[in-house]
Amino acid sequence: MKFLLITLITHTPDPVTGKLAPTAERFREVVDTAELAEELGFDGYGVGERHERPFLSSSPPVVLSHLAARTSRIRLFTAVTTLSLLDPVRAFEDYSTLDNLSGGRLELIIGKGNGTAQRELFHVTPEDQWDRNAEGYELFRRLWREDTVSWSGRFRPSLTDAETWPRPLQQPIRVWHGSATSRDSVELAARWGDPLFSANVTNPIEPYADLVRHYRERWSFHGHDPAAAVVGAGTAGFYAARTSQDALATYRPLFESRLALQRRQGLTPVFTTLEDFVERSSALIDSPAQIVDKVLRYHKELGHQVIHLQADRAGLTPAQHRATLELFQHEIAPALRRAIPDPPWPDEN
């Protein structure tokens, strides 16, 4: 099994102190965490893309390029690249440049994106968002693979023998399809023979497991080898401590702050107590042995070979954050690696 840390670079007050860090300080925390992830042996670090409050992740190519210069081994993920909002040509130029700068460590997770504000910012409607995502990906794939491209579609000007530069280092690049509950993303991934990354963070496991089963069915329908399907899955929260009681005690104020934020935003929480959150969501807040058991239970439903943890401190002190990630790598990751086979990984092929 492989392990990623992922951040959407949420910019909200610290749930314990109530203080809002300056923007520059929040970006420094992202860089520091990526360096820590590489030091501790995580396999990848991902940066999301959002174009609305309370996120600072509107420009993942810039952030990931900086991380490429500060790291040397860890793979760098987008999480997700919102192709429904972007010009595929410009997205190709940014990520092909990043692919070269990172020494071929880039992986893309694409998706249509969420949020009314960012749709309005880019003049994208709910009705055409899925079509934009599918069309943008088709063009992006061709730009990555072909030196010259002639193409026409609905949402951007046509291309005639177009050349795009720089040419990428990886040929081809691995592209994951991020999805919460939509079968549109699943169909796109299965049709192209690409891996799926299930969000797995908002609800209990059932809708995500159903989506992964559908992905595997469509994968086979499109003629792909069932054994070659690769699935990743998210986690709703993470904090490991020596005992379950210590983990719950430390995480409780973080959970209660998240709950209060959801209610202020007019959202109806799916999990209203920490105990229910730990029991029925994908959150890994427990002792190492209990976390291993939970991941293995989820693996029986999802068959996933890659898992992501939340990268952000989100109210933890730097010392607490480092200690829990160290505990994960020293006691949890080795047990999961023994139990769950690795997917194909570019630097190991």
Side-chain angles (χ1 to χ4, degrees):
M1 193 171 214
K2 296 293 187 181
F3 307 100
L4 319 179
L5 296 184
I6 286 182
T7 179
L8 292 176
I9 320 184
T10 307
H11 194 217
T12 55
D14 184 288
V16 176
T17 67
K19 295 180 179 179
L20 182 67
T23 297
E25 182 178 323
R26 183 69 182 91
F27 278 122
R28 283 196 298 272
E29 181 183 322
V30 170
V31 177
D32 291 345
T33 304
E35 292 179 321
L36 176 61
E38 177 162 280
E39 175 192 338
L40 296 180
F42 281 88
D43 301 291
Y45 190 89
V47 174
E49 180 177 338
R50 292 289 185 94
H51 299 269
E52 58 188 340
R53 294 174 184 263
F55 306 100
L56 302 178
S57 51
S58 59
S59 188
V62 176
V63 178
L64 288 170
S65 291
H66 187 69
L67 299 184
R70 298 290 293 267
T71 60
S72 60
R73 177 198 59 80
I74 199 166
R75 294 195 67 78
L76 303 172
F77 285 71
T78 66
V80 300
T81 295
T82 52
L83 279 180
S84 64
L85 308 180
L86 307 176
D87 180 342
V89 174
R90 183 61 197 168
F92 163 81
E93 291 173 336
D94 285 342
Y95 286 115
S96 181
T97 300
L98 175 53
D99 190 44
N100 282 278
L101 288 172
S102 68
R105 290 186 283 138
L106 177 65
E107 301 209 18
L108 298 173
I109 307 176
I110 68 162
K112 74 169 180 62
N114 295 305
T116 300
Q118 61 183 14
R119 280 200 307 266
E120 293 175 349
L121 187 65
F122 289 90
H123 294 276
V124 172
T125 69
E127 292 75 24
D128 68 21
Q129 199 164 9
W130 283 115
D131 291 339
R132 286 177 178 273
N133 185 62
E135 180 181 291
Y137 181 51
E138 181 178 352
L139 177 54
F140 184 92
R141 280 178 61 90
R142 291 192 58 193
L143 293 169
W144 199 278
R145 288 163 171 77
E146 302 173 27
D147 292 337
T148 60
V149 173
S150 295
W151 176 88
S152 63
R154 292 173 55 197
F155 300 110
R156 79 166 317 279
S158 61
L159 302 174
T160 302
D161 295 329
E163 295 183 344
T164 46
W165 299 95
R167 299 310 300 157
L169 181 58
Q170 295 183 87
Q171 194 57 266
I173 192 171
R174 181 160 61 183
V175 178
W176 304 69
H177 294 250
S179 183
T181 56
S182 170
R183 293 194 170 195
D184 294 276
S185 287
V186 164
E187 176 63 27
L188 195 63
R191 174 156 57 93
W192 290 111
D194 293 331
L196 178 72
F197 216 109
S198 170
N200 196 40
V201 297
T202 305
N203 299 296
I205 192 173
E206 288 80 10
Y208 305 113
D210 180 67
L211 199 71
V212 171
R213 285 191 292 270
H214 182 67
Y215 167 69
R216 296 185 189 280
E217 291 169 2
R218 298 304 295 172
W219 177 275
S220 296
F221 173 84
H222 287 290
H224 305 301
D225 178 3
V230 176
V231 174
T235 56
F238 168 71
Y239 185 74
R242 287 296 174 188
T243 68
S244 300
Q245 293 81 0
D246 287 346
L248 290 172
T250 299
Y251 201 85
R252 190 173 300 279
L254 282 60
F255 173 80
E256 291 175 350
S257 174
R258 177 192 296 187
L259 200 63
L261 177 62
Q262 290 176 335
R263 286 170 170 155
R264 287 197 301 272
Q265 293 174 335
L267 303 175
T268 301
V270 176
F271 309 102
T272 57
T273 68
L274 177 58
E275 287 72 18
D276 188 38
F277 182 59
V278 172
E279 175 65 25
R280 294 196 303 122
S281 83
S282 61
L284 305 177
I285 302 160
D286 223 315
S287 67
Q290 293 299 317
I291 287 175
V292 170
D293 286 346
K294 186 171 187 177
V295 174
L296 293 179
R297 291 200 309 273
Y298 266 62
H299 178 71
K300 289 180 180 178
E301 299 292 331
L302 301 175
H304 56 311
Q305 303 118 305
V306 180
I307 193 170
H308 87 58
L309 306 179
Q310 304 295 323
D312 301 328
R313 290 198 287 112
L316 299 174
T317 67
Q320 287 173 322
H321 191 223
R322 183 183 184 99
T324 196
L325 293 178
E326 287 179 340
L327 188 58
F328 182 90
Q329 285 290 46
H330 292 161
E331 298 192 18
I332 299 168
L336 293 175
R337 286 194 175 103
R338 288 191 297 269
I340 301 173
D342 284 346
W345 208 247
D347 58 358
E348 296 172 356
N349 291 339

